[in-house]
Amino acid sequence: MALLRKIKQKIKDLVQKEKVRKQEAKRKRAESREIKKEILGAQEMAVEQTKFSHPETAPFRRTFPTDLPYQYDRDRIVLQVRDPRWIHAYWEISASMIERLKNNLRDDFFDAKRVLRVYDVSDIIFNGENAHRFFDIQVNEFANNWYINTEGPDRSWCVDFGLLLVSGRFVTILRSNTVRTPLEGPSWITDEEWMIPEDMFARLYGMGFGLGRSSPVGKAWQERVKQLLFSGAMASPGMASMASPVKKELKRRQFWLLVDCELIVYGATEPNAKVSVSGREVALRPDGTFTLRFALPDGRQVMPVKAVSSDKMEERTITPVVSRETKISCSVKE
Amino acid sequence: MVKGYLCLVLHGHLPFVRHPEHENFLEEDWFYEAITETYIPLISCFERLCEEKVDFRLTVTLSPTLISMLNDPLLQERYLKHINRLIELAHKEIERNSWQPAFQKLAIMYLNQFCKARDTFERYNRHLVRAFKNFQDAGKLEIMTCAATHGYLPLMDVCRASVRAQVKVAVSHYESVFGRKPRGMWLPECGYQPGHDEILKEAGIRYFFSDSHGVLHGTPRPKYGVFAPVYCKGTGVACFGRDLESSKQVWSSIEGYPGDYNYREFYRDIGFDLEYDYVRPYIHPDGVRINTGIKYYRITGNHSHKEPYVPEWAQETAAAHAGNFMFNRQKQAEYLYDFMKKPPMLVSPYDAELFGHWWYEGPLWLDFLMRKIVFDQDELRLITPSEYLAENRRHQVITPSLSSWGWKGYSEMWLQGPNDWIYRHLHVASDRMTELAKDFPHADGLLKRALNQALRELLLAQSSDWAFIMGTGTHTSYAVRRTKEHLLRFSRLFEDIKSNSIDPNWLSDIEYKDNIFPQIDYRVHQ
């Protein structure tokens, strides 16, 4: 076992050395490129720079990242409740913490499994030892978050992220906050407590209320509500305004074809003439031209276009007659 | 005799989308569409009811982000441009449909609707929030607030300072707009985490809403289910549970009213239907086809063939549905009254944008429903939560359960594969904000501005809308961009403040871009 571990470490070291060597070479190459570029491209750069000078732009003192960091170099695990059965954990471990663990555990560190230890800490003050029960989830080296199925509504949970050593010892690295999963059905507790806010109580005291501690709520509607609850009817469509409006149509994946016709009627006359189409006056552009656009249904359309000169001495009428007929055929190949 | 109370709630919210740096921004259209199709039709509905002395009651949320956009001069200016373009398009449509009278009639209907929208907008001097304020002052409407940027609070629970900031910023914003404190708060997505009622109480909030199972699965078991509010144990903040039966009748896409074949089809918009060059000036400048708001068809049936919309039929259907809704509530109230021995409280909350935008006839339905309830019967009484609580003081004390009204009823919509990565960043930012507030208890000048802006950026990053859009899996890039942008701005502010090297030019630039909550005080984040 010890031998195996040594070989493993050796290979790791070798790989590490190779990496360092490659990085060094890469850095050198980049450096030489930099120098060359400086000599070759200096003039071009200077010229290009003048294109972008702008008196108003504030100078940036230093560059800022354009994307969020992968992590924040903290040691932290956070637990959140997703629903009565599932909780979610995310975590991060700082580089210095990893180093410290490596130093302390030496070879044990590399053989250890990374584990989430999930404690049921309902109704206790958890001290690391007194959980009602716990279970482990092995996670890989690169995982930084996990959905945990607790199978336990109405319980409190706390999670340790740690190393499970070959010896069976568990080393806690991070301990989470405590969360409580909600009930999945009605509470079994039926003790009732009633309240009148203080300010009103003085006034209402002695007036008497008709509300007794009589029968618990009728079963019938409770069952009905429960059915609704778990039939999925409760999910609201939410913000319809944000969903893509076209998407639903496309999702049906039915083949389709839409064809429609429009008719453009256009012409020109003296700019100061009066033009009407089918008796309705049309606005002319300054140069005397006009354009009309119509949806063209099936059938025959007659549209007399009449122009009257500004002195009303002359009148011209041109009447286009258009007819549309639509034929539809469909075929489906087997 | 009153056998039951009906509390209708419309939750109005849109995320803060305002891009002064772009002339045309596709996502701003969410807001313009909602103004034309939802907010103005609702205002018109309330105006009609008031004029005709209908003593109605309705509860609405106007989220702080929505109010900020409605009050923003740049967006107001842009809306006017938007509605003017629509009016121009409607004119063209009237002419184009000269030989198709069924469509021409509809084009005229839209022209009237758009002109009316513009008139209303101008009549309130572009400040539509004033309209809502008037109805509240007249006692017809109760306006609730919502978390500052609609942050989903259960997933902020590890940073209660942020929950507190979301609540307190909203409350002081509400006060500055409406001249009084808000009584109720709509928890974003009905997301309730036990313990958050403490923060609500601190902020002076007296009630909130939860989904049915939030109350039904509370401990101990609520005697009257969702048909009476409960007080949260330890704080006495009232919690009203949603009645699922009435919700389903309106929400459900299958059995719900909005799916009726006589109603207008949402998915057939001329922005997609008409010839490209013709609609080009009215769609996105990049040439992407979008909804214009002019839609000519009715749902017709369960197939792709659609018939022209007939407003009269839709109107009759809306009236019938209002009658049906009222009848069902009466029956429900009678049934519950029998064994509760007191009038049940039926709470029916809906997204405001469902009315008019998604369900075109929604505002009309609401109008019919209010009239019918006020004039045609005396078993049901419309009520607001505050009125109810003033008249009914004694309620059961329970701890409601963690819940939301989102997909599957808990937090999964906002905590799943496509969006769970955001929390490690958001939570670090929250911790850093707390650190800043602690480090600088008395700041002024440039430092104070930077600290206030840091809180603005944090709040904007926390909007549940971004996680929601990522969760839906379509058109996610904008949501990802917004989350990162605000977090990056926050990080830079944090570093600049810590190293005492605030760049006043850059700060001015982001103050101009993210100009929400001018009165914000960073010290609420603790």
Side-chain angles (χ1 to χ4, degrees):
Chain A
M1 211 45 201
L3 191 71
L4 206 71
R5 224 176 287 151
K6 265 185 192 156
I7 294 168
K8 231 175 162 178
Q9 189 57 39
K10 197 104 191 171
I11 293 170
K12 249 185 191 153
D13 287 345
L14 274 173
V15 170
Q16 191 60 30
K17 263 184 202 157
E18 181 62 14
K19 245 190 201 161
V20 170
R21 198 185 58 76
K22 272 190 183 156
Q23 270 169 1
E24 192 66 19
K26 205 171 161 188
R27 195 176 55 80
K28 276 189 181 150
R29 274 203 304 276
E31 256 174 20
S32 67
R33 251 206 315 271
E34 279 288 312
I35 294 162
K36 256 194 217 152
K37 207 173 161 190
E38 207 175 299
I39 301 161
L40 290 175
Q43 190 55 30
E44 288 88 325
M45 290 293 123
V47 173
E48 198 175 351
Q49 226 167 29
T50 60
K51 279 202 308 190
F52 302 115
S53 75
H54 199 288
E56 279 172 338
T57 308
F60 283 93
R61 283 167 300 103
R62 53 183 202 264
T63 54
F64 281 90
T66 54
D67 208 345
L68 298 170
Y70 176 68
Q71 54 179 40
Y72 293 86
D73 206 39
R74 289 180 164 207
D75 299 304
R76 188 186 199 195
I77 178 165
V78 173
L79 216 55
Q80 300 201 95
V81 177
R82 195 188 81 175
D83 56 43
R85 287 167 185 271
W86 290 79
I87 55 178
H88 178 250
Y90 73 79
W91 61 88
E92 70 165 274
I93 303 169
S94 63
S96 56
M97 171 70 91
I98 296 279
E99 272 318 298
R100 210 161 41 215
L101 286 163
K102 276 183 189 167
N103 287 337
N104 289 346
L105 299 170
R106 297 177 187 278
D107 285 356
D108 284 351
F109 177 84
F110 297 100
D111 294 328
K113 290 174 184 157
R114 292 177 184 228
V115 158
L116 291 172
R117 181 156 286 189
V118 185
Y119 302 97
D120 178 344
V121 297
S122 308
D123 312 312
I124 54 166
I125 297 162
F126 183 50
N127 59 15
E129 309 287 330
N130 57 342
H132 301 294
R133 65 183 184 105
F134 69 80
F135 57 91
D136 286 351
I137 297 169
Q138 195 183 333
V139 299
N140 68 46
E141 196 179 339
F142 308 102
N144 65 2
N145 76 99
W146 210 265
Y147 289 94
I148 301 164
N149 183 359
T150 66
E151 288 295 349
D154 198 30
R155 307 292 296 171
S156 295
W157 306 95
C158 180
V159 172
D160 277 359
F161 178 84
L163 296 174
L164 187 60
L165 307 185
V166 176
S167 64
R169 186 160 77 100
F170 180 72
V171 181
T172 296
I173 306 174
L174 309 166
R175 174 157 295 164
S176 78
N177 54 311
T178 299
V179 296
R180 188 167 182 96
T181 44
L183 269 168
E184 209 174 22
S187 168
W188 294 108
I189 303 167
T190 49
D191 299 340
E192 290 169 29
E193 181 186 341
W194 292 78
M195 185 181 103
I196 302 169
E198 286 293 325
D199 57 329
M200 279 300 281
F201 188 71
R203 262 200 284 162
L204 293 172
Y205 190 70
M207 280 168 67
F209 270 86
L211 295 169
R213 288 168 175 258
S214 56
S215 66
V217 211
K219 271 246 152 64
W221 66 264
Q222 237 185 28
E223 280 307 312
R224 204 156 95 246
V225 169
K226 222 177 135 182
Q227 262 176 10
L228 287 176
L229 263 172
F230 297 110
S231 64
M234 59 187 308
S236 68
M239 313 196 59
S241 53
M242 289 193 166
S244 158
V246 259
K247 216 185 140 218
K248 195 176 161 193
E249 281 284 292
L250 294 176
K251 253 190 178 165
R252 288 184 198 154
R253 293 197 59 160
Q254 286 178 350
F255 187 65
W256 53 280
L257 171 68
L258 286 173
V259 174
D260 217 332
C261 291
E262 290 188 338
L263 180 72
I264 290 173
V265 179
Y266 65 99
T269 178
E270 293 291 333
N272 56 6
K274 287 240 182 293
V275 175
S276 65
V277 176
S278 304
R280 232 160 40 84
E281 198 173 311
V282 173
L284 298 186
R285 296 192 192 93
D287 65 352
T289 61
F290 59 91
T291 306
L292 294 167
R293 181 170 184 139
F294 300 101
L296 184 67
D298 273 3
R300 192 160 171 271
Q301 306 298 338
V302 181
M303 67 214 95
V305 181
K306 187 167 89 176
V308 183
S309 65
S310 63
D311 56 7
K312 300 210 169 98
M313 296 296 286
E314 269 188 87
E315 198 182 296
R316 296 268 167 100
T317 302
I318 298 175
T319 307
V321 178
V322 181
S323 58
R324 172 182 162 188
E325 186 190 357
T326 310
K327 291 173 178 167
I328 300 171
S329 75
C330 301
S331 74
V332 183
K333 283 192 181 131
E334 283 302 315
Chain B
M1 188 196 138
V2 174
K3 288 271 179 74
Y5 301 102
L6 178 62
C7 176
L8 289 168
V9 185
L10 300 184
H11 168 55
H13 162 68
L14 281 175
F16 191 69
V17 178
R18 175 185 174 275
H19 293 274
E21 70 276 23
H22 296 284
E23 184 68 26
N24 288 285
F25 206 84
L26 203 57
E27 281 77 3
E28 280 179 11
D29 284 359
W30 298 341
F31 175 59
Y32 307 139
E33 281 172 24
I35 293 181
T36 313
E37 298 173 351
T38 296
Y39 310 136
I40 287 179
L42 285 177
I43 290 170
S44 306
C45 164
F46 304 152
E47 281 177 345
R48 281 194 304 271
L49 293 171
C50 282
E51 270 164 30
E52 290 162 40
K53 309 255 184 298
V54 183
D55 191 23
F56 71 100
R57 292 289 183 283
L58 195 77
T59 307
V60 302
T61 332
L62 295 177
S63 74
T65 48
L66 176 59
I67 290 175
S68 302
M69 288 194 287
L70 286 169
N71 283 342
D72 185 81
L74 176 79
L75 293 179
Q76 289 168 348
E77 188 63 39
R78 286 183 176 180
Y79 175 69
L80 208 58
K81 250 197 223 163
H82 175 91
I83 193 72
N84 280 331
R85 280 220 318 270
L86 277 182
I87 288 170
E88 183 187 291
L89 177 61
H91 276 296
K92 283 192 187 177
E93 277 300 283
I94 292 171
E95 179 178 287
R96 196 184 65 84
N97 284 306
S98 296
W99 301 326
Q100 307 193 79
F103 292 117
Q104 194 181 41
K105 208 173 101 188
L106 295 173
I108 294 168
M109 175 187 90
Y110 284 114
L111 178 66
N112 289 337
Q113 186 191 335
F114 298 152
C115 288
K116 195 171 176 201
R118 187 175 60 187
D119 289 349
T120 307
F121 188 67
E122 286 179 331
R123 195 151 39 82
Y124 288 99
N125 288 318
R126 305 181 178 189
H127 283 77
L128 293 177
V129 178
R130 283 182 199 156
F132 288 97
K133 183 179 184 297
N134 291 349
F135 299 123
Q136 167 153 287
D137 294 344
K140 309 294 179 203
L141 214 60
E142 174 152 337
I143 305 171
M144 284 185 284
T145 188
C146 183
T149 59
H150 211 262
Y152 182 69
L153 304 180
L155 294 176
M156 223 177 270
D157 190 48
V158 284
C159 321
R160 289 234 172 148
S162 277
V163 178
R164 188 169 288 112
Q166 283 276 352
V167 170
K168 289 199 168 165
V169 169
V171 168
S172 49
H173 183 253
Y174 183 100
E175 262 188 286
S176 71
V177 174
F178 296 106
R180 48 163 262 204
K181 277 185 172 282
R183 297 192 183 117
M185 175 174 280
W186 177 266
L187 297 178
E189 309 291 357
C190 280
Y192 170 73
Q193 166 86 39
H196 288 181
D197 43 299
E198 286 161 29
I199 294 165
L200 298 181
K201 191 186 180 191
E202 259 175 57
I205 298 290
R206 304 217 197 116
Y207 68 87
F208 65 93
F209 292 89
S210 92
D211 203 346
S212 319
H213 56 301
V215 172
L216 292 178
H217 298 178
T219 311
R221 190 181 286 196
K223 179 176 176 185
Y224 294 124
V226 295
F227 300 110
V230 293
Y231 289 126
C232 292
K233 192 169 175 65
T235 58
V237 177
C239 169
F240 290 86
R242 167 158 85 144
D243 167 43
L244 275 179
E245 197 178 307
S246 57
S247 286
K248 212 173 128 189
Q249 270 185 324
V250 177
W251 276 116
S252 167
S253 56
I254 307 146
E255 306 136 74
Y257 301 135
D260 192 280
Y261 294 164
N262 281 333
Y263 286 148
R264 194 188 72 166
E265 169 66 57
F266 180 82
Y267 291 107
R268 287 293 297 274
D269 190 288
I270 64 166
F272 291 91
D273 279 357
L274 290 190
E275 192 263 328
Y276 188 66
D277 284 337
Y278 175 72
V279 293
R280 181 79 216 249
Y282 307 100
I283 57 176
H284 193 255
D286 293 345
V288 184
R289 284 180 181 268
I290 53 170
N291 284 324
T292 61
I294 299 183
K295 303 167 203 277
Y296 288 136
Y297 296 93
R298 58 188 156 94
I299 296 172
T300 315
N302 194 17
H303 38 72
S304 58
H305 173 74
K306 301 292 170 196
E307 292 286 328
Y309 182 65
V310 184
E312 296 76 20
W313 297 359
Q315 199 167 336
E316 278 167 27
T317 307
H321 281 161
N324 175 273
F325 186 85
M326 184 177 80
F327 176 79
N328 284 327
R329 295 296 77 71
Q330 285 170 327
K331 290 288 150 235
Q332 195 181 4
E334 276 168 29
Y335 176 69
L336 291 165
Y337 186 87
D338 265 358
F339 62 82
M340 278 173 72
K341 310 291 178 223
K342 68 169 191 171
M345 172 74 159
L346 305 172
V347 176
S348 311
Y350 308 101
D351 257 359
E353 291 76 16
L354 173 83
F355 290 77
H357 178 67
W358 169 255
W359 179 18
Y360 184 62
E361 298 78 7
L364 193 62
W365 173 84
L366 202 61
D367 186 313
F368 285 132
L369 180 64
M370 299 280 172
R371 285 168 205 272
K372 279 181 199 288
I373 291 178
V374 173
F375 295 129
D376 295 357
Q377 52 91 51
D378 56 6
E379 286 187 322
L380 281 179
R381 185 182 144 201
L382 290 167
I383 201 163
T384 65
S386 290
E387 280 177 320
Y388 183 91
L389 289 173
E391 292 174 23
N392 305 273
R393 303 296 302 209
R394 189 170 181 270
H395 299 292
Q396 197 181 345
V397 177
I398 73 167
T399 301
S401 168
L402 169 73
S403 54
S404 85
W405 77 347
W407 181 55
K408 293 190 184 175
Y410 296 93
S411 299
E412 190 167 349
M413 188 67 217
W414 304 275
L415 182 64
Q416 51 172 321
N419 54 26
D420 55 20
W421 59 272
I422 65 176
Y423 298 101
R424 70 175 63 235
H425 302 290
L426 288 173
H427 294 161
V428 165
S430 288
D431 289 351
R432 287 176 168 179
M433 191 67 230
T434 307
E435 185 184 328
L436 290 176
K438 204 178 284 173
D439 287 358
F440 302 97
H442 313 287
D444 51 351
L446 187 65
L447 176 63
K448 186 176 171 186
R449 274 172 53 201
L451 287 160
N452 285 337
Q453 191 61 27
L455 182 54
R456 282 187 198 106
E457 300 296 341
L458 173 62
L459 292 174
L460 287 169
Q462 288 169 339
S463 292
S464 70
D465 310 277
W466 315 139
F468 177 88
I469 296 171
M470 289 178 215
T472 62
T474 44
H475 304 291
T476 58
S477 61
Y478 180 69
V480 172
R481 201 190 102 193
R482 286 293 299 272
T483 304
K484 288 186 176 177
E485 201 169 71
H486 295 301
L487 281 167
L488 286 167
R489 284 175 188 165
F490 175 86
S491 303
R492 180 170 166 189
L493 282 165
F494 174 77
E495 280 159 29
D496 284 3
I497 292 166
K498 288 297 244 187
S499 62
N500 194 17
S501 58
I502 300 160
D503 178 344
N505 291 323
W506 180 72
L507 177 59
S508 299
D509 182 48
I510 57 170
E511 279 174 336
Y512 162 70
K513 284 178 181 154
D514 298 331
N515 69 344
I516 197 169
F517 307 135
Q519 310 293 329
I520 205 168
D521 180 353
Y522 68 93
R523 285 169 301 187
V524 298
H525 197 282
Q526 42 182 285

